[in-house]
Amino acid sequence: MKLTYRPEIDGLRAIAVVAVIIYHAQITILNYQPFQGGFIGVDIFFVISGYLITSIILKELLTTGSFSFKYFYERRIRRILPALLFVMILTLPLAWMYLIPVSFIDFSKSILYSLGFTSNLYFHYSGQVYGAENALLIPFLHTWSLSVEEQYYILFPITLLFLFKYFKNYIIHILFVFFFISLFLADWGSKNHASFTFYALPTRGWELILGSLLAYFELKTGRRGKNKLFNSLMPSVGLIIISFSIFFFHDQMFHPSIKTLIPVMGVCLIIWFSNKDEIVTKILSSKIFVGVGLISYSLYLWHYPIFAFARIIEFTQGSIIKKFLLGLIILALSVFSYYFVEKPARNKKNRFNRIFKVLITVILSLSIFNFVSVNQNGYENRASLPKVLVKASKKLDYRSIRQNNKSCHNRLGKDGFCIFNQSPDNIGDIILLGDSQTDALLANLVEQISNTKFRLIHMSYSGNLYLPNFVKINKKDKTILQDEIWHDYRSEFLSKKAHKNTYIIIFGRYDFYFEKTLNISNNLIFRGEEDYSYIERNNLDLKYEERIKLFKNKFKNTIESLSLDKKVFVLYPTPVSGEKIFQRILKNKKKISQAKNYYLNDIVNYSLKFHREYFSDEIKLLDSLNSDNIYRIKSDELFCPNDQCFLYDNENVYIFDTNHPSYKGSQMINDLIMKKINQIELKPN
């Protein structure tokens, strides 16, 4: 059933897609990211989708008393699949050239789940945190929102038809009940089950339903806003609210939640009160806004994989011209997709049977190709891959271990820390206490303790060492990003009577807490340049030198206190890279293939002298710890033989990204830890 075209809705789409693109582009101006809330563009899309889909369904039901599922799903297929499949096909060569096997497997799985309309669930259960640094390297992470809409398109027409047939007089009441239940679940879930709440239809449904409510009232009353004053003011209010959200929301807030009502209500105000005589409606209906809105679907599809591959190959690093060129590439591809894929597929002159056959053929081909990829270890024998990556690919990525369907990393104490190898015969505890560096040790350590009588307890948290009353803050606006509640959970656990053989392992990305960054190719060290600080809650305005001094004192006191009744293993810094390690290997693959020396010194370019210089502050701090129960594990004994630190060699890769030990690297560290524990256990009292 054809609806009256509303150009201002295409204008809203333009705002939504531009907000999302700029957010994912991570544009910064004078060291400030002005579009931190650009992710709410997806929420705008959800409201619009709910409004338009419900308008189509209800208009047909109210005018004919029936509903054609065949026609409805034909339109959805024409609208969604051709452009999506086109993007998937054209990104395959990039994946083939630039993705290491483990990443290629993830790439293939994301395509398979996207084709099955369930990529949102896949990304949740695979532990992908939207907005995280590693998430920016996953080419099809953005398809989670398409899966949410597709699931809605499948379930909502059936539900609405059922309600229309049996509960026609109560449709609006039931929709309101659905809305409030979904909103409640979203607000509660964002605080307790953030990943599922972000990705899942039940906690996103309220945004779509709100659009449905607008459509219902419009069709039942035969009009939208009637009050002249509101018609002239409310669209402007709506645009201001949306703009406020884009500029002042940030990805550390609970989302979706009650706060998400702010931009969502802004969208509703524009949809309901817009009229041809009002200024915001005129702006949104202008050619440029409508033009961007018309290609918004293609823009959305193209921008994320292009950004992801550009980051993987570091195409735009340090170059404004290249960033501008990347924007032009995305725009050109989107315009091409719209005119040569989207429009022909939606043109009714092109018979659906032919289009459907082509789509099925492409889907089957993509499914077979990516299914084989998953089962063949990401096509590890590709000629474009250096042999060292192929050899290390099966266990290159440390990956967070899961227990009871939840990630062990970033796991709050109220859900129970992950505990392994627990039995009545346990002779002691090994506790991993630190940030994601300790999480990198977990996978191999679980295997190593399986043949012992030690219980392993895992307590890692991102960017967060165990320093009670210290928080991670954004230095630009003093926003607290991590609360000491996490320390409370760990403190409560550690305060319990410890087993006499309790070993605590402390390991972290120490240079992060000293606010240092590294340009390893030029051997440059930048101090105080990190965007975040790790600082005492009551002293958020201290200068750099004061912050570091306070951190050193707190760290020293905390570790020495732990060692009063427990044995503490302090792991010294491991070598780091100024760029992602697989990127370095791909850049140097020709040199690697020609190299004869095992450690590839000329390629790695990372001396032990530089390592100790870069981590001099951290090493001094760890050396100053004073307790008979503190034991030191010095990684340079492992990774820096003959005064040369190595991040990879002809056989193995020892870090996964820029700093986290790979499975092989963690195995080497854990060997030292277990050797030291065995020596202590065998030592007579």
Side-chain angles (χ1 to χ4, degrees), residues 16-209:
V17 76
V18 170
V20 170
I21 291 173
I22 295 178
Y23 169 71
H24 288 147
Q26 295 186 311
I27 300 296
T28 57
I29 301 174
L30 298 177
N31 292 322
Y32 177 72
Q33 189 174 335
F35 300 94
Q36 296 181 72
F39 56 83
I40 64 102
V42 173
D43 305 275
I44 296 174
F45 279 127
F46 283 158
V47 178
I48 293 172
S49 294
Y51 170 76
L52 294 176
I53 293 305
T54 307
S55 297
I56 292 170
I57 298 171
L58 278 181
K59 193 165 186 179
E60 186 170 346
L61 286 173
L62 292 172
T63 55
T64 67
S66 63
F67 176 71
S68 172
F69 282 97
K70 179 182 177 181
Y71 176 72
F72 176 81
Y73 288 118
E74 176 185 325
R75 287 192 61 180
R76 302 280 70 72
I77 290 171
R78 285 176 179 266
R79 169 78 169 132
I80 296 170
L81 287 181
L84 176 62
L85 297 177
F86 181 65
V87 173
M88 287 178 173
I89 291 170
L90 291 194
T91 53
L92 285 178
L94 294 174
W96 186 269
M97 288 188 290
Y98 296 116
L99 294 185
I100 60 176
V102 66
S103 299
F104 203 104
I105 291 171
D106 285 341
F107 174 81
S108 295
K109 285 182 178 179
S110 67
I111 287 181
L112 291 171
Y113 280 97
S114 295
L115 295 176
F117 308 149
T118 55
S119 66
N120 58 329
L121 300 178
Y122 166 68
F123 290 126
H124 161 63
Y125 286 109
S126 61
Q128 302 298 343
V129 180
Y130 185 84
E133 182 180 357
N134 65 320
L136 297 172
L137 304 175
I138 303 172
F140 285 104
L141 181 66
H142 65 322
T143 61
W144 73 268
S145 63
L146 299 183
S147 291
V148 169
E149 289 199 7
E150 288 154 355
Q151 291 161 15
Y152 180 78
Y153 295 157
I154 292 170
L155 296 175
F156 187 71
I158 299 171
T159 303
L160 193 57
L161 183 61
F162 176 80
L163 294 177
F164 187 83
K165 187 173 182 180
Y166 297 104
F167 301 96
K168 186 175 181 180
N169 295 329
Y170 300 98
I171 290 178
I172 190 63
H173 306 87
I174 295 172
L175 287 179
F176 266 114
V177 170
F178 287 166
F179 167 79
F180 284 113
I181 291 175
S182 177
L183 180 58
F184 169 79
L185 289 174
D187 193 62
W188 176 82
S190 64
K191 301 175 181 66
N192 296 278
H193 303 282
S195 176
F196 181 83
T197 301
F198 183 88
Y199 285 118
L201 176 62
T203 48
R204 288 288 187 170
W206 64 273
E207 298 172 309
L208 292 146
I209 291 172

Side-chain angles (χ1 to χ4, degrees), residues 482-639:
Q482 290 172 333
D483 197 275
E484 70 265 33
I485 187 172
W486 174 248
H487 299 307
D488 293 341
Y489 287 127
R490 292 199 273 195
S491 295
E492 181 182 355
F493 189 97
L494 294 170
S495 65
K496 297 175 183 177
K497 186 177 180 180
H499 195 288
K500 67 175 183 178
N501 297 321
T502 296
Y503 298 89
I504 293 180
I505 298 171
I506 300 289
F507 188 30
R509 176 71 192 271
Y510 300 110
D511 53 338
F512 166 81
Y513 306 101
F514 280 79
E515 301 176 34
K516 293 192 294 190
T517 57
L518 169 69
N519 182 332
I520 197 168
S521 61
N522 297 318
N523 285 3
L524 296 177
I525 304 171
F526 300 94
R527 301 176 189 275
E529 295 296 325
E530 282 290 337
D531 292 334
Y532 306 114
S533 293
Y534 195 55
I535 189 170
E536 191 176 44
R537 174 179 282 276
N538 297 325
N539 290 282
L540 302 185
D541 296 316
L542 292 178
K543 294 181 179 179
Y544 171 71
E545 293 79 8
E546 296 170 323
R547 291 199 302 270
I548 300 305
K549 183 179 179 180
L550 194 62
F551 165 78
K552 288 179 180 179
N553 291 335
K554 187 66 175 182
F555 181 84
K556 181 177 172 64
N557 293 335
T558 300
I559 302 306
E560 290 179 349
S561 296
L562 285 173
S563 69
L564 293 175
D565 61 344
K566 304 172 183 69
K567 298 177 179 67
V568 179
F569 284 17
V570 178
L571 273 61
Y572 277 55
T574 52
V576 296
S577 174
E579 60 181 337
K580 288 182 170 55
I581 192 64
F582 60 83
Q583 186 65 38
R584 296 185 69 182
I585 294 173
L586 288 172
K587 282 183 178 180
N588 292 294
K589 62 183 179 181
K590 186 175 180 180
K591 290 183 180 179
I592 293 172
S593 65
Q594 297 173 348
K596 294 181 180 180
N597 57 313
Y598 187 77
Y599 296 121
L600 305 174
N601 296 351
D602 57 325
I603 299 173
V604 176
N605 189 30
Y606 191 103
S607 68
L608 176 59
K609 179 182 178 182
F610 175 73
H611 173 75
R612 289 177 175 170
E613 177 188 352
Y614 178 63
F615 286 110
S616 59
D617 297 315
E618 294 85 339
I619 292 172
K620 288 178 183 177
L621 174 61
L622 298 179
D623 285 344
S624 71
L625 298 175
N626 185 23
S627 171
D628 292 338
N629 276 338
I630 292 178
Y631 301 85
R632 293 168 173 82
I633 305 293
K634 297 187 177 182
S635 64
D636 54 19
E637 298 174 4
L638 297 172
F639 300 105

Side-chain angles (χ1 to χ4, degrees), residues 248-266:
F248 295 104
F249 277 21
H250 54 81
D251 53 16
Q252 297 294 326
M253 63 181 282
F254 294 121
H255 176 79
S257 65
I258 290 290
K259 291 181 180 178
T260 314
L261 266 174
I262 296 172
V264 165
M265 290 307 299

